[in-house]
Amino acid sequence: MKKQDAHIKRSFVAPAGNFFSIVYLLILIIACVLFVWVPGQPFDFAYAMPIIVGLVVVMGIGEVIIVSCQKKYGKQQEINQ
């Protein structure tokens, strides 16, 4: 957003910019992996596949909600400026 709309004043600026974004992304990826696989245990596809499918479905639903909100409220933000 800052690259596209750099002239708009933001109410919140994340500290350390992209560095913490990358750190948080890595933590999220590690959490998803450890949610499916327990270190020291053999990988069981019968146990892991429903969890992986559920993670993908939930993330997909979240992305659909984000895109629909951007379409709906993005136009109102342009009108207000």
Side-chain angles (χ1 to χ4, degrees):
M1 285 177 46
K2 284 198 122 286
K3 289 181 182 179
Q4 292 177 345
D5 299 324
H7 62 281
I8 297 174
K9 186 176 179 181
R10 308 276 181 216
S11 60
F12 177 79
V13 178
N18 288 336
F19 175 74
F20 279 132
S21 298
I22 294 169
V23 170
Y24 294 143
L25 178 65
L26 292 175
I27 291 171
L28 178 64
I29 290 170
I30 291 169
C32 288
V33 168
L34 292 177
F35 190 70
V36 175
W37 171 68
V38 178
Q41 300 291 325
F43 188 76
D44 183 14
F45 278 105
Y47 170 76
M49 288 311 292
I51 296 172
I52 292 171
V53 170
L55 283 171
V56 170
V57 167
V58 168
M59 288 181 177
I61 290 170
E63 290 298 320
V64 168
I65 291 170
I66 290 170
V67 169
S68 67
C69 287
Q70 285 177 341
K71 287 180 182 178
K72 182 177 180 180
Y73 297 109
K75 293 178 183 177
Q76 289 180 355
Q77 185 180 12
E78 291 173 5
I79 293 170
N80 293 337
Q81 292 175 357

